């Protein structure tokens, strides 16, 4: 009798992972419209699906009673990231890592950081990973499964998006090179870095009980980085 809930939990994890794999492939290897809409749509579908499977709002990190704690952790996380990014952009030794040509204009970086990154990347990914996947993994394997499997899967999620990483960043190209091995090393580094970030996001989610904190940290890493990249680029061509 006691095996059925655990079996259902395993099946939920398997379905969520399959949906995430399919979403990632469609978003990166089909067309431009799919790359824009697929992840947000999949996140909404996953939340609706897993709610029907019995996960509560608290298990998804969406309970109102955790809003205050989540907001406090969010403010602290954003403050730390903004300070680190500002220092990194100012120091000559780390400034080349902000030279990403896709953020060559301030206006483009503002649109990316305030609209595209939150709606297309940060909020959908946090709903999917620190919300739905977190809740299903917790039911199946507890905290260890959430931290280990959740972080690893978040790292693997970024393989496709890091395929052209070294070719578009001067700092990484200078260290890793622009050839095949440089690309492989860039992908491996991106997976490790995003898995580590996923671990921190998961810690914030577990500590605060809310998605507000990991959403804020995720946005600040991407959004503040985009703005800093645009500022550094403009300074370099001035």
């Amino acid at each position: 009798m006691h095996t059925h809930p655990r079996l259902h939990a395993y099946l939920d994890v398997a379905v969520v992972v399959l949906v995430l794999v399919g979403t990632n492939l469609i978003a990166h290897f089909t067309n431009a419209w799919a790359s824009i809409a697929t992840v947000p749509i999949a996140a909404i579908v996953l939340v609706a699906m897993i709610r029907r499977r019995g996960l509560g709002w608290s298990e998804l990190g969406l309970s109102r009673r955790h809003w205050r704690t989540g907001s406090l952790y969010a403010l602290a996380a954003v403050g730390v990231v903004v300070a680190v990014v500002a220092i990194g952009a100012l120091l000559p030794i780390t400034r080349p890592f902000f030279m990403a040509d896709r953020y060559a204009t301030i206006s483009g970086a503002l649109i990316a950081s305030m609209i595209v990154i939150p709606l297309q990347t940060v909020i959908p990914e946090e709903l999917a990973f620190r919300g739905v996947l977190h809740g299903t993994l917790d039911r199946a394997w507890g905290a260890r499964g959430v931290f280990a499997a959740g972080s690893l899967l978040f790292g693997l999620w970024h393989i496709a998006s890091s395929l052209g990483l070294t070719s578009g960043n001067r700092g990484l190209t200078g260290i890793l090179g622009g050839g095949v091995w440089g690309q492989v090393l860039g992908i491996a580094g991106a997976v490790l870095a995003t898995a580590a970030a996923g671990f921190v996001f998961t810690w914030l989610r577990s500590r605060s009980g809310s998605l507000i904190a990991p959403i804020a940290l995720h946005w600040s890493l991407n959004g503040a980085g985009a703005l800093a990249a645009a500022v550094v680029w403009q300074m370099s061509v001035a």
Side-chain angles (χ1 to χ4, degrees), residues 1-8:
M1 293 291 291
H2 296 289
T3 60
H4 294 299
R6 183 59 63 87
L7 178 60
H8 286 219

Side-chain angles (χ1 to χ4, degrees), residues 61-83:
L62 296 171
S63 173
R64 288 186 179 182
R65 62 192 178 94
H66 293 123
W67 282 4
R68 184 176 179 276
T69 307
S71 298
L72 292 174
Y73 274 93
L75 288 172
V78 170
V80 170
V81 170
V82 169

Side-chain angles (χ1 to χ4, degrees), residues 175-196:
I175 292 176
L176 303 176
V180 175
W181 280 111
Q183 188 177 66
V184 170
L185 290 173
I187 293 170
V191 169
L192 289 174
T194 50

Side-chain angles (χ1 to χ4, degrees), residues 12 29-30 45 64 71 83 117 128 137 177 210-211 216 230:
D12 287 342
F29 300 107
T30 52
V45 170
R64 288 186 179 182
S71 298
I117 288 172
L137 285 171
S210 173
L211 283 185

Side-chain angles (χ1 to χ4, degrees), residues 130-235:
R130 258 63 61 180
V132 175
L133 185 62
H134 184 114
T136 54
L137 285 171
D138 190 45
R139 280 196 171 186
W141 290 293
R144 290 184 179 180
V146 170
F147 277 92
S151 301
L152 176 61
L153 289 168
F154 190 63
L156 295 174
W157 169 265
H158 288 84
I159 290 176
S161 61
S162 62
L163 291 176
L165 185 65
T166 53
S167 61
N169 187 293
R170 290 186 183 179
L172 290 176
T173 302
I175 292 176
L176 303 176
V180 175
W181 280 111
Q183 188 177 66
V184 170
L185 290 173
I187 293 170
V191 169
L192 289 174
T194 50
F199 189 92
V200 177
F201 296 157
T202 299
W203 181 85
L204 277 174
R205 158 75 169 85
S206 300
R207 187 76 176 174
S208 67
S210 173
L211 283 185
I212 294 174
I215 284 174
L217 178 57
H218 196 163
W219 171 83
S220 62
L221 287 169
N222 290 23
L227 291 173
V231 171
V232 169
W233 191 278
Q234 293 302 311
M235 290 171 58

